[in-house]
Each structure stands twice: as C-alpha cells, then as structure tokens.
Amino acid sequence: MRTSPDVIAAEGRRFHLDRRTGIELPDESGGMIIPDPEWKLRTRDEKWYPGDTAHMAIGQGDVLVTPMDMACFAASVARNEVFTKPTLIHNPNAPTQHSESIGLTPAQRAALLDGMEGCTSVPGGTAYNLTTTKALRIPNVRIAGKTGTAQIPGKKNVAWFICFAPLENPEIAVAVAVEGDTAGETYAGSFYAAPVAAVVLKKYSRRKTSRPSSASGRDCRAW
C-alpha cells in the first residue's frame, strides 16, 4: 500500500510488461494490461480501491501478461536488467543484449536471488514438494524460480512457473503456463508447471555438457 498503485504500475511498464516483446511472429498478442487508477476509471468508470493495489502487487486482479512476457522477464531478472527481446533466429554473431539496470543494491539483489532459489530448494518454498523438488534437482545447478496461479473466477485456473539457471551465471530462462481442465480447480504452479520447466532445464543441461557453450549470464535468453 505504501508503494502505491502508480509506482507499481510504472515499474511493470519499465519491464515492458504492457507491450509486445517484438519476437518474429505475425500474431503476437497485444492484450497485455498493467492497470492503475487512471486505467480503471477510463475503461470501467470505476474507482480504484486498496484491494486493487494488493491484487496487482501479486500479479492478480486486472494484470494480464503472456508466457512470452514472463519468459523475457525471467531472462531480464537473470541479467539484472529490465528488458529482453526474444528471437527465433539463431545468430551466433548477434551482439549481447543490454538494457537499463533494474537498480537494485547488491544486498537487495542477493535477497531476491536467495528467495528465488529458496522457492525451488528450501522446505516451505512454493515450488518445494517431494515431486517438484526431485524433478528440479539437477546436479551442480542452482535454479532461481517463482510459482504462481492465475485464479479466474468461474473459469479454468492457470498454473505458472518462471525460472532461470544456473543462478550464479544464468544461461537459460523458462516460463511455463498450464491451463487447468476443470473450472475452479486448484491448479498450482508447483505441481503442474514447475515439472514441465524441469524437463526443459534437464534437456538444456544435457545438451550443454555435450558441446562447448559461449553463453553467459550477460546473454541469458528466453526459451
């Protein structure tokens, strides 16, 4: 509440969560929404309430983003920057991407990464359960992750998981969104989306160990 909806919205837009990523696809969705009081008044002719701020702060309420947005967001956080432009075109000579720094202090960034790693590896973490933890366990690879559940009243919930790895020198970022098959069913990211990401990470890890790689944390790309 102290941060305020306008500041939260401005930060979301600084990460480009309100616009297309620019990937080379003809029909990328353009329906992303990062709401604020002005948006709600203009589109719904309704007042903004404190509960709207609480919902927006955790990515619920009227927030609307795509899996591609969140894959790019994960890659950006991995690089400590605010924007990643994804591409389908492999170009080994492409320059390393750079964008504005997030602006965290070293202590703040350490706390963020510690929490994201704890999500996948510490009892009590939202992606820590016997099934998911076993799936996410890759020898000598630390994974930073975040689960989520898009709760749509009367409709099918969507399980989310975003991550990047290795934590100390990121090379790959992943976003998974899995739609439930029953309206109102609890469809948590830790049980449904995180294991999908684990398959991708393990496949990447096996491929990486079988061939030289020039990737680094400064060039983390979204898959």
Side-chain angles (χ1 to χ4, degrees):
M1 299 302 180
R2 292 195 302 269
T3 302
S4 83
D6 291 315
V7 172
I8 296 172
E11 192 70 357
R13 292 166 187 151
R14 192 164 72 102
F15 279 90
H16 292 223
L17 296 180
D18 62 332
R19 68 198 81 171
R20 294 180 175 89
T21 65
I23 194 170
E24 305 93 346
L25 291 171
D27 298 310
E28 183 181 8
S29 173
M32 292 71 76
I33 297 174
I34 299 297
D36 59 19
E38 186 278 330
W39 173 88
K40 189 177 181 184
L41 184 64
R42 171 171 45 84
T43 61
R44 297 186 179 175
D45 195 26
E46 294 178 359
K47 177 183 177 181
W48 185 273
Y49 295 97
D52 293 324
T53 304
H55 283 153
M56 179 176 65
I58 60 171
Q60 295 197 356
D62 293 308
V63 175
L64 185 63
V65 295
T66 67
M68 182 61 71
D69 283 325
M70 296 311 294
C72 292
F73 174 77
S76 298
V77 172
R79 298 198 323 277
N80 198 24
E81 297 178 2
V82 300
F83 178 62
T84 298
K85 186 179 185 302
T87 180
L88 295 172
I89 301 171
H90 176 64
N91 179 4
N93 298 315
T96 299
Q97 289 196 42
H98 291 289
S99 64
E100 176 187 351
S101 170
I102 295 177
L104 300 173
T105 66
Q108 289 168 339
R109 180 161 176 80
L112 172 65
L113 298 183
D114 183 62
M116 293 185 71
E117 182 179 23
C119 168
T120 66
S121 62
V122 175
T126 55
Y128 187 94
N129 59 67
L130 293 179
T131 301
T132 303
T133 302
K134 183 178 180 180
L136 285 171
R137 190 176 296 120
I138 303 174
N140 302 316
V141 177
R142 299 166 65 194
I143 300 169
K146 178 69 182 76
T147 62
T149 302
Q151 297 170 305
I152 309 170
K155 298 183 179 180
K156 299 173 182 177
N157 289 346
V158 180
W160 283 86
F161 184 69
I162 64 171
C163 64
F164 59 83
L167 181 144
E168 64 277 10
N169 186 32
E171 297 179 2
I172 179 172
V174 181
V176 178
V178 182
E179 184 179 77
D181 55 11
T182 304
E185 178 189 25
T186 299
Y187 217 62
S190 63
F191 287 97
Y192 297 99
V196 177
V199 173
V200 176
L201 292 174
K202 287 182 175 179
K203 180 68 173 180
Y204 176 82
S205 181
R206 286 195 294 267
R207 288 184 59 189
K208 180 177 180 293
T209 56
S210 66
R211 60 178 173 79
S213 173
S214 60
S216 70
R218 302 302 297 171
D219 196 28
C220 184
R221 302 185 182 190
W223 282 24

